[in-house]
Amino acid sequence: MRKRVVIAGLGDSGILAAVRLARHADVVGISVKDGLVSGQELGMRVSRPHDWARDYFIGFRRFRGLDPARIVHGALTGADLDARTVTVVAADGTETIEPFDVLLISTGTTNGFWRRPTLQTADDVAAELRDTHERLAGARRVAVVGGGATAVSSAGNLARTWPDKLIDLYFPGAQILPGYHSGTQVRVAQRLAELGVRLQLGHRAVLPPDRDEITTGPIEFSTGQPDADVDAVLWAVGRVRPNTAWLPSEILDDDGFVTVTPELAVPGHPGVFAVGDVAATDPLRTSARNGGGALVARNILAQLKSGKLRRYRPPSVRWGSVLGPQPDGLEVFTPWGQAVRFPAWTVDRVLQRFVVRRQLYRGVRD
């Protein structure tokens, strides 16, 4: 008898797991969006939304691997892990109970306007993409606050799309991209300078209560610098909040993330797993990348067949693309700080169409 696997959250990690499980179990995917709205490549999303939507905003029924699955568009409001059910509320207020044999928690985190657990249709997402782009297009001076990959990518892509704008990147540290190899830090800083981004290091901004939105200036600093008068502020400060209010507190750590074993299983609750940004695998919660979705799918199938589960091993250093796809190609940094460049023609034809859509996502319809 086929088991029912409920996947709570169909972001990047949830989709990667779902397309691997749907042929072997009765998969029910629950999502607040009615398609994949990836949290990746914010810089591309805000500066070139049409290009971003082509690869990162994909309706669920375009995924061939989801054909056998049932998709529920709604918000999770509760879970009874002993009774093995979750509660879902649709946009019209209708409440349903979904039973499960296996539960995969992949509800992600809230992190600014681009990652929020709000119920949205495809039209809602498209309108938000357009409004954000137009808001930034109309600003003469834009500030990006933060020094991680999301902030750096945003500043770089904004500068490349609108070279006539003044783009400032404010960061409290002495070097951008903490956690990356020093070679990567230096190379990306040089690239930002070439694009005209002004690095304002040593500036710790006072965070406003509405930092999940694009705000207007001025920006205040707690490090003594004068206020910065800007037209638009994009806050990418890494203050993520897990989307776990619907879960019992007993499976959460002190910060609200889901406690997991190295096998991505929730201790004390057989058949419950977690993956992605919501899972407390390591300080950086890296199972959102590095094959976490595929690994947890394999472990779920192994548990259903009484097989051996594999351990997730977090990388010791951050690596990968920082600025994302550009008109002249894609630059990916190794864990040792070396840059590997892919020509522009390979990004769509090879990386997206073959590696991502065919290999990772198991087939995506045009």
Side-chain angles (χ1 to χ4, degrees):
M1 183 176 181
R2 286 166 65 93
K3 299 293 186 180
R4 173 176 288 197
V5 178
V6 168
I7 301 180
L10 288 176
D12 296 295
S13 298
I15 287 282
L16 289 171
V19 297
R20 287 161 172 77
L21 293 168
R23 291 176 55 194
H24 307 281
D26 292 330
V27 168
V28 178
I30 301 170
S31 174
V32 292
K33 318 297 182 188
D34 59 4
L36 170 65
V37 183
S38 176
Q40 300 182 59
E41 304 297 353
L42 176 63
M44 184 180 180
R45 172 174 172 158
V46 297
S47 63
R48 307 191 324 269
H50 293 292
D51 293 341
W52 179 87
R54 180 190 61 213
D55 297 325
Y56 299 101
F57 178 24
I58 304 172
F60 289 135
R61 287 309 168 198
R62 290 179 56 195
F63 292 92
R64 297 182 187 277
L66 291 183
D67 286 348
R70 179 165 63 89
I71 308 298
V72 177
H73 186 206
L76 288 147
T77 58
D80 187 331
L81 301 185
D82 294 326
R84 307 188 80 73
T85 62
V86 297
T87 304
V88 187
V89 176
D92 62 2
T94 303
E95 183 178 278
T96 58
I97 304 296
E98 293 288 346
F100 63 83
D101 297 299
V102 176
L103 172 65
L104 174 58
I105 302 164
S106 54
T107 43
T109 58
T110 295
N111 185 19
F113 62 87
W114 64 96
R115 296 183 71 187
R116 289 188 286 204
T118 51
L119 272 169
Q120 289 182 307
T121 65
D123 289 341
D124 295 332
V125 175
E128 187 175 73
L129 290 175
R130 181 182 63 251
D131 293 345
T132 300
H133 180 72
E134 292 176 354
R135 169 79 174 85
L136 293 170
R140 186 186 68 86
R141 181 175 177 182
V142 179
V144 180
V145 180
T150 299
V152 168
S153 171
S154 299
N157 279 277
L158 289 171
R160 180 146 200 167
T161 299
W162 292 297
D164 57 331
K165 295 184 186 297
L166 294 176
I167 308 294
D168 291 285
L169 179 65
Y170 292 96
F171 179 57
Q175 182 58 275
I176 58 172
L177 299 175
Y180 284 79
H181 191 279
S182 59
T184 302
Q185 295 173 331
V186 171
R187 177 67 179 264
V188 174
Q190 291 173 342
R191 187 65 176 138
L192 291 179
E194 293 168 0
L195 291 169
V197 177
R198 303 189 299 186
L199 296 183
Q200 309 287 357
L201 305 182
H203 287 63
R204 184 175 295 278
V206 177
L207 303 181
D210 55 350
R211 62 182 178 273
D212 282 347
E213 308 289 343
I214 293 177
T215 65
T216 56
I219 307 173
E220 299 179 18
F221 301 99
S222 61
T223 40
Q225 296 89 353
D227 293 355
D229 189 15
V230 297
D231 301 312
V233 187
L234 193 161
W235 301 88
V237 292
R239 298 291 182 89
V240 299
R241 303 181 298 281
N243 299 324
T244 54
W246 60 283
L247 289 167
S249 59
E250 67 194 55
I251 68 169
L252 307 179
D253 66 11
D254 292 341
D255 296 315
F257 295 92
V258 180
T259 302
V260 291
T261 68
E263 294 77 20
L264 303 179
V266 175
H269 294 278
V272 181
F273 295 79
V275 71
D277 291 312
V278 77
T281 51
D282 58 283
L284 300 178
R285 295 175 298 281
T286 56
S287 71
R289 300 156 292 281
N290 306 296
L295 176 65
V296 77
R298 185 202 175 280
N299 282 351
I300 288 172
L301 292 175
Q303 186 174 90
L304 292 177
K305 299 176 182 178
S306 300
K308 184 177 181 180
L309 278 60
R310 293 183 181 175
R311 298 166 66 93
Y312 173 72
R313 292 177 172 80
S316 58
V317 66
R318 292 183 174 184
W319 65 282
S321 168
V322 177
L323 295 178
Q326 300 295 307
D328 58 353
L330 175 69
E331 196 169 45
V332 177
F333 294 92
T334 70
W336 306 278
Q338 299 166 323
V340 178
R341 175 167 288 279
F342 294 88
W345 69 269
T346 67
V347 175
D348 179 58
R349 297 183 195 176
V350 179
L351 293 180
Q352 283 295 339
R353 289 186 177 271
F354 183 75
V355 177
V356 176
R357 295 190 179 195
R358 184 176 297 181
Q359 299 296 319
L360 294 181
Y361 287 144
R362 302 293 175 89
V364 179
R365 298 178 179 92
D366 290 334

